[in-house]
Coordinates of all heavy atoms in Angstrom, one line a residue:
M1 N -89.0 -86.2 -4.9 CA -89.4 -86.7 -3.6 C -88.9 -85.8 -2.5 O -87.9 -85.2 -2.6 CB -89.0 -88.2 -3.5 CG -87.8 -88.5 -2.6 SD -87.3 -90.2 -2.4 CE -87.8 -91.1 -3.8
K2 N -89.6 -85.8 -1.4 CA -89.2 -85.0 -0.3 C -88.1 -85.7 0.5 O -87.9 -87.0 0.4 CB -90.3 -84.8 0.7 CG -91.4 -83.9 0.1 CD -92.5 -83.6 1.2 CE -93.5 -82.6 0.6 NZ -94.4 -82.2 1.6
L3 N -87.3 -85.0 1.2 CA -86.1 -85.5 1.9 C -86.7 -86.6 2.9 O -86.1 -87.6 3.1 CB -85.3 -84.4 2.6 CG -84.1 -84.9 3.3 CD1 -83.2 -85.6 2.4 CD2 -83.4 -83.7 4.0
S4 N -87.8 -86.3 3.6 CA -88.3 -87.2 4.6 C -88.7 -88.5 4.0 O -88.5 -89.6 4.6 CB -89.5 -86.6 5.4 OG -90.5 -86.3 4.5
E5 N -89.2 -88.5 2.7 CA -89.5 -89.7 2.0 C -88.3 -90.5 1.6 O -88.3 -91.7 1.8 CB -90.3 -89.3 0.7 CG -91.0 -90.4 0.0 CD -91.8 -89.9 -1.2 OE1 -91.9 -88.7 -1.4 OE2 -92.2 -90.7 -2.0
A6 N -87.2 -89.8 1.2 CA -86.0 -90.5 0.9 C -85.4 -91.1 2.1 O -84.9 -92.3 2.0 CB -85.0 -89.5 0.3
V7 N -85.4 -90.5 3.2 CA -84.8 -91.0 4.5 C -85.7 -92.2 4.9 O -85.1 -93.3 5.3 CB -84.8 -90.0 5.6 CG1 -84.4 -90.6 7.0 CG2 -83.8 -88.9 5.3
S8 N -87.0 -92.1 4.8 CA -87.9 -93.2 5.1 C -87.5 -94.4 4.2 O -87.4 -95.6 4.7 CB -89.3 -92.8 4.9 OG -90.2 -93.9 5.0
Q9 N -87.5 -94.3 3.0 CA -87.2 -95.3 2.0 C -85.8 -95.9 2.3 O -85.6 -97.2 2.3 CB -87.2 -94.9 0.6 CG -88.6 -94.7 0.1 CD -88.7 -94.4 -1.4 OE1 -87.8 -94.7 -2.2 NE2 -89.8 -93.7 -1.8
R10 N -84.8 -95.1 2.7 CA -83.5 -95.6 2.9 C -83.5 -96.4 4.2 O -82.9 -97.5 4.2 CB -82.5 -94.5 3.0 CG -81.0 -94.9 3.2 CD -80.6 -95.6 2.0 NE -79.1 -95.9 2.1 CZ -78.6 -97.0 1.6 NH1 -79.3 -98.0 1.0 NH2 -77.3 -97.2 1.8
V11 N -84.1 -96.0 5.2 CA -84.2 -96.8 6.5 C -84.9 -98.1 6.2 O -84.4 -99.2 6.6 CB -84.9 -96.0 7.6 CG1 -85.2 -97.0 8.8 CG2 -84.1 -94.9 8.0
N12 N -86.0 -98.1 5.4 CA -86.7 -99.4 5.1 C -85.8 -100.3 4.3 O -85.8 -101.5 4.5 CB -88.0 -99.1 4.3 CG -89.0 -98.5 5.3 OD1 -89.1 -98.9 6.4 ND2 -89.8 -97.6 4.7
E13 N -85.1 -99.7 3.3 CA -84.1 -100.5 2.5 C -83.1 -101.2 3.4 O -82.8 -102.4 3.2 CB -83.4 -99.6 1.5 CG -84.1 -99.2 0.3 CD -83.3 -98.3 -0.6 OE1 -82.1 -98.0 -0.3 OE2 -83.8 -97.8 -1.6
L14 N -82.5 -100.4 4.3 CA -81.4 -101.0 5.1 C -81.9 -102.0 6.1 O -81.2 -103.0 6.4 CB -80.7 -99.8 5.9 CG -79.9 -98.9 5.0 CD1 -79.5 -97.7 5.8 CD2 -78.7 -99.6 4.4
L15 N -83.2 -101.9 6.6 CA -83.7 -102.9 7.5 C -83.8 -104.2 6.7 O -83.5 -105.3 7.2 CB -85.1 -102.5 8.0 CG -85.0 -101.4 9.1 CD1 -86.5 -101.0 9.4 CD2 -84.3 -101.9 10.3
V16 N -84.3 -104.2 5.4 CA -84.4 -105.4 4.6 C -83.0 -105.9 4.3 O -82.7 -107.1 4.5 CB -85.2 -105.1 3.3 CG1 -85.1 -106.3 2.4 CG2 -86.6 -104.8 3.6
E17 N -82.1 -105.0 3.9 CA -80.7 -105.4 3.5 C -80.0 -106.1 4.7 O -79.3 -107.1 4.5 CB -80.0 -104.2 3.1 CG -78.5 -104.4 2.6 CD -77.9 -103.1 2.2 OE1 -78.4 -102.4 1.4 OE2 -76.8 -102.9 2.7
K18 N -80.2 -105.5 5.9 CA -79.4 -106.0 7.1 C -80.3 -107.1 7.8 O -79.8 -107.6 8.9 CB -79.1 -104.8 8.0 CG -78.4 -103.7 7.4 CD -76.9 -104.0 7.4 CE -76.1 -102.7 7.0 NZ -74.7 -102.9 7.1
D19 N -81.4 -107.4 7.3 CA -82.3 -108.4 7.9 C -82.6 -108.1 9.3 O -82.5 -108.9 10.2 CB -81.7 -109.8 7.7 CG -82.8 -110.9 8.0 OD1 -83.9 -110.7 7.8 OD2 -82.3 -112.0 8.5
K20 N -83.0 -106.8 9.6 CA -83.4 -106.3 10.9 C -84.8 -105.9 11.0 O -85.4 -105.4 10.0 CB -82.5 -105.2 11.3 CG -81.0 -105.5 11.3 CD -80.6 -106.4 12.4 CE -79.1 -106.6 12.4 NZ -78.7 -107.9 13.0
T21 N -85.4 -106.0 12.2 CA -86.7 -105.5 12.4 C -86.6 -104.1 13.0 O -85.5 -103.7 13.5 CB -87.5 -106.3 13.4 OG1 -86.9 -106.3 14.6 CG2 -87.7 -107.8 12.9
Q22 N -87.7 -103.4 13.0 CA -87.7 -102.0 13.7 C -87.3 -102.2 15.2 O -86.5 -101.4 15.7 CB -89.1 -101.5 13.6 CG -89.2 -100.0 14.1 CD -90.5 -99.4 13.8 OE1 -90.9 -99.3 12.6 NE2 -91.3 -99.1 14.8
Y23 N -87.8 -103.2 15.8 CA -87.4 -103.5 17.2 C -85.9 -103.7 17.4 O -85.3 -103.2 18.3 CB -88.2 -104.7 17.8 CG -87.9 -105.0 19.2 CD1 -88.4 -104.2 20.2 CD2 -87.1 -106.1 19.5 CE1 -88.1 -104.6 21.6 CE2 -86.8 -106.4 20.8 CZ -87.3 -105.6 21.8 OH -86.9 -105.9 23.1
E24 N -85.3 -104.5 16.5 CA -83.9 -104.8 16.6 C -83.1 -103.5 16.4 O -82.1 -103.3 17.1 CB -83.5 -105.9 15.6 CG -84.0 -107.2 15.9 CD -83.8 -108.2 14.8 OE1 -84.0 -107.9 13.6 OE2 -83.4 -109.4 15.1
L25 N -83.6 -102.7 15.5 CA -82.9 -101.4 15.2 C -83.0 -100.5 16.5 O -82.0 -99.9 16.9 CB -83.5 -100.7 14.0 CG -82.9 -99.3 13.7 CD1 -81.4 -99.4 13.4 CD2 -83.6 -98.7 12.5
Y26 N -84.1 -100.5 17.1 CA -84.2 -99.8 18.4 C -83.2 -100.3 19.4 O -82.5 -99.5 20.1 CB -85.7 -99.9 18.9 CG -85.8 -99.9 20.4 CD1 -85.6 -98.8 21.2 CD2 -86.2 -101.1 21.0 CE1 -85.7 -98.9 22.6 CE2 -86.4 -101.2 22.4 CZ -86.1 -100.0 23.2 OH -86.3 -100.1 24.5
K27 N -83.1 -101.6 19.6 CA -82.2 -102.2 20.5 C -80.7 -101.9 20.2 O -79.9 -101.6 21.1 CB -82.4 -103.7 20.7 CG -83.8 -104.1 21.2 CD -84.0 -103.6 22.6 CE -83.5 -104.6 23.6 NZ -83.7 -104.2 25.0
L28 N -80.4 -101.9 18.9 CA -79.0 -101.7 18.5 C -78.6 -100.2 18.5 O -77.4 -99.9 18.7 CB -78.8 -102.3 17.1 CG -78.9 -103.8 16.9 CD1 -79.0 -104.2 15.5 CD2 -77.7 -104.4 17.6
S29 N -79.5 -99.4 18.2 CA -79.2 -97.9 18.0 C -79.5 -97.1 19.2 O -78.9 -96.0 19.4 CB -79.9 -97.4 16.8 OG -81.3 -97.3 17.0
G30 N -80.5 -97.5 20.0 CA -80.9 -96.6 21.1 C -82.0 -95.6 20.7 O -82.4 -94.8 21.5
V31 N -82.3 -95.6 19.4 CA -83.3 -94.6 18.9 C -84.7 -95.3 19.3 O -84.9 -96.4 19.0 CB -83.2 -94.4 17.4 CG1 -84.3 -93.5 16.9 CG2 -81.8 -93.8 17.1
S32 N -85.6 -94.5 19.9 CA -86.9 -95.1 20.3 C -87.6 -95.6 19.2 O -87.5 -95.2 18.0 CB -87.7 -94.0 21.0 OG -88.2 -93.1 20.1
Q33 N -88.5 -96.7 19.5 CA -89.3 -97.3 18.5 C -90.2 -96.3 17.8 O -90.5 -96.4 16.6 CB -90.0 -98.4 19.1 CG -89.2 -99.6 19.4 CD -90.0 -100.8 19.8 OE1 -90.7 -101.4 18.9 NE2 -90.0 -101.2 21.0
S34 N -90.7 -95.4 18.6 CA -91.7 -94.4 18.1 C -91.0 -93.4 17.1 O -91.6 -93.1 16.1 CB -92.4 -93.6 19.2 OG -91.4 -92.8 19.9
T35 N -89.7 -93.1 17.4 CA -89.0 -92.2 16.5 C -88.7 -93.0 15.2 O -88.9 -92.4 14.1 CB -87.7 -91.7 17.1 OG1 -88.0 -90.9 18.2 CG2 -86.9 -90.9 16.1
I36 N -88.3 -94.2 15.2 CA -88.1 -95.0 14.0 C -89.4 -95.2 13.2 O -89.4 -95.0 12.0 CB -87.4 -96.4 14.4 CG1 -86.1 -96.2 15.0 CG2 -87.4 -97.3 13.2 CD1 -85.5 -97.5 15.7
S37 N -90.4 -95.4 13.9 CA -91.7 -95.6 13.3 C -92.1 -94.3 12.6 O -92.6 -94.3 11.4 CB -92.8 -96.0 14.3 OG -94.1 -96.0 13.7
D38 N -91.9 -93.2 13.3 CA -92.2 -91.8 12.7 C -91.4 -91.6 11.4 O -92.0 -91.1 10.4 CB -92.0 -90.7 13.7 CG -93.1 -90.7 14.8 OD1 -94.1 -91.4 14.7 OD2 -92.8 -89.9 15.7
I39 N -90.1 -92.0 11.4 CA -89.3 -91.8 10.2 C -89.9 -92.7 9.1 O -90.0 -92.2 8.0 CB -87.9 -92.2 10.5 CG1 -87.2 -91.1 11.5 CG2 -87.0 -92.3 9.3 CD1 -85.9 -91.5 12.0
R40 N -90.1 -94.0 9.4 CA -90.6 -94.9 8.4 C -92.0 -94.5 7.8 O -92.2 -94.7 6.7 CB -90.7 -96.3 9.0 CG -89.3 -96.9 9.4 CD -89.3 -98.2 9.9 NE -89.5 -99.2 8.8 CZ -90.1 -100.4 9.0 NH1 -90.4 -100.8 10.2 NH2 -90.3 -101.2 8.0
L41 N -92.8 -93.9 8.6 CA -94.1 -93.5 8.2 C -94.2 -92.1 7.7 O -95.3 -91.5 7.4 CB -95.2 -93.7 9.3 CG -95.3 -95.2 9.8 CD1 -96.2 -95.2 11.0 CD2 -95.9 -96.0 8.6
M42 N -93.0 -91.4 7.7 CA -92.9 -90.0 7.2 C -93.8 -89.1 8.0 O -94.4 -88.1 7.4 CB -93.1 -89.9 5.7 CG -92.1 -90.6 4.9 SD -92.5 -90.7 3.2 CE -93.8 -92.0 3.1
K43 N -93.8 -89.2 9.3 CA -94.6 -88.4 10.2 C -93.9 -87.1 10.5 O -94.5 -86.1 11.0 CB -95.1 -89.1 11.4 CG -96.1 -90.2 11.1 CD -96.6 -90.7 12.5 CE -97.7 -91.7 12.2 NZ -98.3 -92.2 13.5
N44 N -92.6 -87.0 10.3 CA -91.8 -85.9 10.5 C -91.4 -85.3 9.2 O -91.0 -86.0 8.3 CB -90.5 -86.2 11.3 CG -90.8 -86.8 12.6 OD1 -91.9 -87.1 13.0 ND2 -89.8 -87.0 13.4
N45 N -91.4 -83.9 9.0 CA -90.9 -83.3 7.8 C -89.4 -83.2 7.9 O -88.7 -82.9 6.8 CB -91.5 -82.0 7.6 CG -92.9 -82.1 7.1 OD1 -93.3 -83.1 6.4 ND2 -93.7 -81.1 7.4
S46 N -88.8 -83.4 9.0 CA -87.3 -83.3 9.2 C -86.9 -84.3 10.2 O -87.6 -84.7 11.1 CB -86.9 -81.9 9.6 OG -87.4 -81.6 10.9
V47 N -85.7 -84.8 10.0 CA -85.1 -85.7 10.9 C -83.7 -85.2 11.3 O -82.9 -84.8 10.4 CB -84.9 -87.1 10.2 CG1 -84.2 -88.1 11.1 CG2 -86.2 -87.7 9.7
N48 N -83.5 -85.2 12.6 CA -82.3 -84.7 13.1 C -81.1 -85.6 12.6 O -81.2 -86.9 12.6 CB -82.3 -84.8 14.6 CG -81.2 -84.2 15.3 OD1 -80.0 -84.4 15.0 ND2 -81.5 -83.3 16.3
L49 N -80.0 -85.0 12.1 CA -78.9 -85.8 11.7 C -78.3 -86.7 12.7 O -77.8 -87.8 12.5 CB -77.8 -84.8 11.1 CG -76.6 -85.5 10.4 CD1 -77.1 -86.4 9.3 CD2 -75.7 -84.4 9.9
R50 N -78.4 -86.3 14.0 CA -78.0 -87.1 15.1 C -78.7 -88.5 15.1 O -78.2 -89.5 15.4 CB -78.1 -86.3 16.4 CG -77.6 -87.1 17.6 CD -76.1 -87.2 17.6 NE -75.7 -88.1 18.6 CZ -74.5 -88.5 18.8 NH1 -73.5 -87.9 18.1 NH2 -74.1 -89.3 19.8
I51 N -80.0 -88.4 14.9 CA -80.9 -89.6 14.9 C -80.4 -90.5 13.8 O -80.2 -91.8 13.9 CB -82.3 -89.3 14.7 CG1 -82.8 -88.4 15.9 CG2 -83.2 -90.5 14.5 CD1 -82.8 -89.1 17.3
I52 N -80.1 -90.0 12.6 CA -79.7 -90.8 11.5 C -78.3 -91.4 11.8 O -78.0 -92.6 11.5 CB -79.6 -90.0 10.2 CG1 -81.0 -89.5 9.7 CG2 -78.9 -90.8 9.0 CD1 -81.1 -88.6 8.6
Y53 N -77.4 -90.6 12.5 CA -76.1 -91.1 12.9 C -76.3 -92.3 13.8 O -75.6 -93.3 13.7 CB -75.3 -90.0 13.5 CG -74.0 -90.5 14.1 CD1 -72.9 -90.8 13.3 CD2 -73.9 -90.7 15.5 CE1 -71.8 -91.2 13.8 CE2 -72.7 -91.1 16.0 CZ -71.6 -91.4 15.2 OH -70.4 -91.9 15.7
E54 N -77.2 -92.2 14.8 CA -77.4 -93.3 15.8 C -77.9 -94.5 15.1 O -77.6 -95.7 15.4 CB -78.3 -92.8 16.9 CG -77.7 -91.8 17.8 CD -78.6 -91.1 18.8 OE1 -79.8 -91.5 18.8 OE2 -78.1 -90.2 19.5
I55 N -78.8 -94.3 14.1 CA -79.4 -95.4 13.3 C -78.2 -96.1 12.6 O -78.1 -97.4 12.6 CB -80.5 -95.0 12.3 CG1 -81.8 -94.7 13.2 CG2 -80.8 -96.0 11.3 CD1 -82.9 -94.0 12.4
T56 N -77.4 -95.3 11.9 CA -76.3 -95.9 11.2 C -75.3 -96.7 12.1 O -74.8 -97.7 11.7 CB -75.5 -94.9 10.4 OG1 -74.9 -93.9 11.2 CG2 -76.3 -94.2 9.3
Q57 N -75.1 -96.2 13.3 CA -74.2 -96.9 14.2 C -74.8 -98.2 14.6 O -74.2 -99.2 14.8 CB -74.0 -96.0 15.5 CG -73.1 -94.7 15.2 CD -71.8 -95.0 14.6 OE1 -70.9 -95.6 15.3 NE2 -71.6 -94.8 13.3
G58 N -76.1 -98.2 14.8 CA -76.9 -99.4 15.2 C -76.8 -100.5 14.1 O -76.8 -101.7 14.3
L59 N -76.7 -100.0 12.8 CA -76.6 -100.9 11.7 C -75.2 -101.2 11.3 O -74.9 -101.8 10.2 CB -77.4 -100.3 10.5 CG -78.9 -100.2 10.7 CD1 -79.6 -99.5 9.5 CD2 -79.5 -101.6 10.9
N60 N -74.3 -100.7 12.1 CA -72.8 -100.9 11.9 C -72.4 -100.4 10.5 O -71.8 -101.1 9.7 CB -72.5 -102.4 12.0 CG -71.0 -102.6 12.2 OD1 -70.3 -101.7 12.8 ND2 -70.5 -103.7 11.8
M61 N -72.7 -99.1 10.3 CA -72.3 -98.4 9.0 C -72.0 -97.0 9.2 O -72.3 -96.5 10.3 CB -73.4 -98.6 8.0 CG -74.8 -98.0 8.4 SD -76.2 -98.4 7.3 CE -75.6 -97.8 5.7
D62 N -71.5 -96.3 8.2 CA -71.2 -94.9 8.3 C -72.3 -94.1 7.7 O -73.0 -94.6 6.9 CB -69.8 -94.6 7.5 CG -68.7 -95.3 8.1 OD1 -68.5 -95.4 9.4 OD2 -67.8 -95.8 7.4
L63 N -72.3 -92.8 8.1 CA -73.2 -91.8 7.5 C -73.0 -91.8 6.0 O -74.0 -91.7 5.2 CB -73.0 -90.4 8.0 CG -73.7 -90.1 9.4 CD1 -73.2 -88.8 9.9 CD2 -75.2 -90.2 9.2
F64 N -71.8 -91.9 5.5 CA -71.5 -91.9 4.1 C -72.3 -93.0 3.4 O -72.9 -92.8 2.4 CB -70.0 -92.1 3.8 CG -69.7 -92.3 2.3 CD1 -69.6 -91.1 1.5 CD2 -69.6 -93.5 1.8 CE1 -69.3 -91.3 0.2 CE2 -69.3 -93.6 0.4 CZ -69.2 -92.5 -0.4
D65 N -72.3 -94.2 4.0 CA -73.0 -95.3 3.4 C -74.5 -95.1 3.4 O -75.2 -95.6 2.5 CB -72.6 -96.7 4.2 CG -71.2 -97.0 4.1 OD1 -70.7 -96.8 3.0 OD2 -70.6 -97.4 5.0
F66 N -75.0 -94.5 4.4 CA -76.4 -94.2 4.5 C -76.9 -93.3 3.3 O -77.8 -93.5 2.6 CB -76.8 -93.5 5.8 CG -78.3 -93.3 6.0 CD1 -79.1 -94.2 6.5 CD2 -78.9 -92.1 5.5 CE1 -80.5 -94.0 6.6 CE2 -80.2 -91.8 5.6 CZ -81.1 -92.8 6.2
F67 N -76.1 -92.2 3.1 CA -76.5 -91.3 2.1 C -75.9 -91.6 0.7 O -76.3 -91.0 -0.3 CB -75.9 -89.9 2.5 CG -76.8 -89.3 3.6 CD1 -76.2 -89.1 4.9 CD2 -78.0 -88.9 3.4 CE1 -76.9 -88.6 5.9 CE2 -78.8 -88.3 4.4 CZ -78.3 -88.2 5.7
N68 N -75.1 -92.7 0.6 CA -74.6 -93.1 -0.7 C -75.6 -94.0 -1.4 O -75.5 -95.2 -1.5 CB -73.3 -93.9 -0.5 CG -72.6 -94.2 -1.8 OD1 -72.8 -93.6 -2.8 ND2 -71.7 -95.2 -1.8
S69 N -76.7 -93.4 -1.8 CA -77.8 -94.1 -2.4 C -78.4 -93.2 -3.5 O -78.4 -91.9 -3.4 CB -78.9 -94.3 -1.3 OG -80.1 -94.6 -1.9
P70 N -78.9 -93.8 -4.5 CA -79.5 -93.0 -5.6 C -80.7 -92.1 -5.1 O -81.0 -91.1 -5.7 CB -80.0 -94.0 -6.6 CG -79.2 -95.2 -6.3 CD -78.8 -95.2 -4.9
L71 N -81.2 -92.5 -4.0 CA -82.3 -91.7 -3.4 C -81.9 -90.2 -3.1 O -82.7 -89.3 -3.2 CB -82.8 -92.3 -2.1 CG -83.5 -93.6 -2.2 CD1 -83.7 -94.3 -0.8 CD2 -84.9 -93.5 -2.8
F72 N -80.6 -90.0 -2.8 CA -80.2 -88.7 -2.4 C -79.4 -88.0 -3.5 O -78.8 -87.0 -3.3 CB -79.3 -88.8 -1.2 CG -80.0 -89.5 0.0 CD1 -79.8 -90.7 0.3 CD2 -80.9 -88.7 0.7 CE1 -80.5 -91.4 1.4 CE2 -81.6 -89.3 1.8 CZ -81.4 -90.6 2.1
K73 N -79.4 -88.5 -4.8 CA -78.7 -87.9 -5.8 C -79.4 -86.9 -6.6 O -80.7 -87.0 -6.8 CB -78.2 -89.0 -6.8 CG -77.1 -89.9 -6.2 CD -76.4 -90.7 -7.2 CE -75.4 -91.5 -6.4 NZ -74.3 -91.8 -7.2
G74 N -78.7 -85.9 -7.1 CA -79.2 -84.9 -8.1 C -80.5 -84.3 -7.8 O -80.7 -83.8 -6.7
N75 N -81.4 -84.4 -8.7 CA -82.7 -83.7 -8.6 C -83.7 -84.6 -8.0 O -84.9 -84.3 -8.0 CB -83.2 -83.3 -10.0 CG -82.3 -82.3 -10.6 OD1 -81.7 -81.4 -9.8 ND2 -82.2 -82.2 -11.9
N76 N -83.3 -85.7 -7.3 CA -84.3 -86.6 -6.6 C -85.0 -85.8 -5.5 O -86.2 -86.1 -5.2 CB -83.7 -87.8 -6.1 CG -83.4 -88.7 -7.3 OD1 -83.8 -88.6 -8.4 ND2 -82.5 -89.7 -7.0
I77 N -84.3 -85.0 -4.8 CA -84.9 -84.3 -3.6 C -85.5 -82.9 -4.1 O -84.7 -82.1 -4.7 CB -83.8 -84.1 -2.5 CG1 -83.1 -85.4 -2.2 CG2 -84.4 -83.4 -1.3 CD1 -84.0 -86.4 -1.6
I78 N -86.7 -82.7 -3.8 CA -87.4 -81.5 -4.2 C -87.7 -80.5 -3.1 O -88.2 -79.4 -3.4 CB -88.7 -81.8 -5.0 CG1 -89.7 -82.6 -4.1 CG2 -88.4 -82.6 -6.2 CD1 -91.1 -82.7 -4.6
D79 N -87.4 -80.8 -1.9 CA -87.7 -79.8 -0.8 C -86.5 -79.3 -0.1 O -85.5 -79.6 -0.2 CB -88.7 -80.4 0.2 CG -88.2 -81.5 1.1 OD1 -87.1 -82.0 0.8 OD2 -88.9 -81.8 2.0

């Protein structure tokens, strides 16, 4: 899977896990709704690490916790 796909899936997982909507994530993180939507719909081939950091802060978690997922392990990422 591409990195953008893994990031998209992880954001979607966390929204479900934390019982948050995209709008709530925007309000908590300060990341624009359009940027969050672009990540979730994989409209970007790359996502700035700063944006991921802001998302994690909005979800009250660390970057480690974001990337501590099987999505980012081993040969799962192909690009």
Side-chain angles (χ1 to χ4, degrees):
M1 109 179 20
K2 292 185 175 185
L3 184 57
S4 60
E5 192 176 350
V7 170
S8 171
Q9 284 187 27
R10 186 64 174 144
V11 169
N12 287 326
E13 283 177 0
L14 291 169
L15 286 175
V16 170
E17 181 182 308
K18 305 274 187 178
D19 194 29
K20 301 290 182 205
T21 65
Q22 184 173 301
Y23 178 76
E24 289 171 317
L25 179 56
Y26 146 71
K27 295 297 273 183
L28 292 168
S29 69
V31 175
S32 73
Q33 288 189 71
S34 62
T35 298
I36 296 169
S37 178
D38 287 350
I39 291 169
R40 295 181 72 202
L41 297 172
M42 295 173 282
K43 289 188 176 180
N44 301 5
N45 284 332
S46 64
V47 178
N48 187 312
L49 187 56
R50 181 71 189 177
I51 298 296
I52 295 173
Y53 174 75
E54 290 172 2
I55 288 172
T56 62
Q57 293 300 289
L59 294 173
N60 198 29
M61 60 189 301
D62 295 321
L63 278 171
F64 175 83
D65 297 321
F66 183 88
F67 288 109
N68 188 22
S69 164
L71 293 168
F72 301 104
K73 289 192 181 216
N75 295 329
N76 287 344
I77 306 299
I78 60 170
D79 67 348

